[in-house]
Amino acid sequence: MVKEIICTICPIGCHITVKGEGDNIESIEGYTCNLGLEHAKAEFSHPVRILTTTVKLESETSPLLAVRSNKPVPKQLIMDCMEEIKKVKVTPPVKRYDVIIKNICGCGADIVATGSIE
Ligand code: SF4
């Protein structure tokens, strides 16, 4: 398998090509520094993302509450996490960083509020 990765560690945005299968990496080309090399290895074998979205809010002033994961979530669990998040309806008051869903999908990340609602 060949994966083209645009490094997001710095604004240069090097285009990195990784060849391999699963955890077995055969070659990595296109990176400029070791940060990019490590990023490409992780992105090839175990890609993760900070999940940012909204949950329903029981409020007359605002229907949605912005939330995010407090740690990166494995990319293959993003859709499962979204299904869990869709089921939640939050009742104010909510403070910034309040945990909305603990250990979502068992991945170790919590979904937390990114703002406060009275
Ligand atoms: S490989 Fe290094 S220089 Fe290139 S985008 Fe990534 S961090 Fe920046």
Side-chain angles (χ1 to χ4, degrees):
M1 178 171 97
V2 178
K3 197 168 184 178
E4 303 289 338
I5 294 165
I6 297 174
C7 182
T8 54
I9 300 292
C10 88
I12 294 171
C14 295
H15 289 242
I16 304 174
T17 304
V18 184
K19 291 181 188 165
E21 226 38 76
D23 286 345
N24 213 356
I25 294 173
E26 293 161 19
S27 68
I28 305 180
E29 295 172 357
Y31 62 93
T32 307
C33 68
N34 281 335
L35 284 176
L37 174 62
E38 294 307 318
H39 174 72
K41 284 182 189 172
E43 191 62 21
F44 183 81
S45 303
H46 303 285
V48 293
R49 295 288 181 274
I50 291 287
L51 175 54
T52 58
T53 185
T54 54
V55 294
K56 286 175 248 160
L57 192 61
E58 192 90 52
S59 164
E60 288 172 9
T61 54
S62 177
L64 297 169
L65 170 71
V67 296
R68 56 168 279 174
S69 59
N70 65 347
K71 299 180 191 174
V73 170
K75 200 174 166 188
Q76 79 268 16
L77 286 180
I78 295 285
M79 294 314 293
D80 292 344
C81 291
M82 288 304 295
E83 288 302 317
E84 289 300 308
I85 290 167
K86 269 196 237 169
K87 296 174 192 166
V88 171
K89 193 163 194 178
V90 176
T91 304
V94 181
K95 290 195 299 277
R96 193 176 199 189
Y97 303 126
D98 275 358
V99 174
I100 306 300
I101 304 174
K102 184 123 186 100
N103 190 25
I104 189 161
C105 294
C107 73
D110 299 335
I111 299 300
V112 300
T114 61
S116 299
I117 302 275
E118 291 302 319

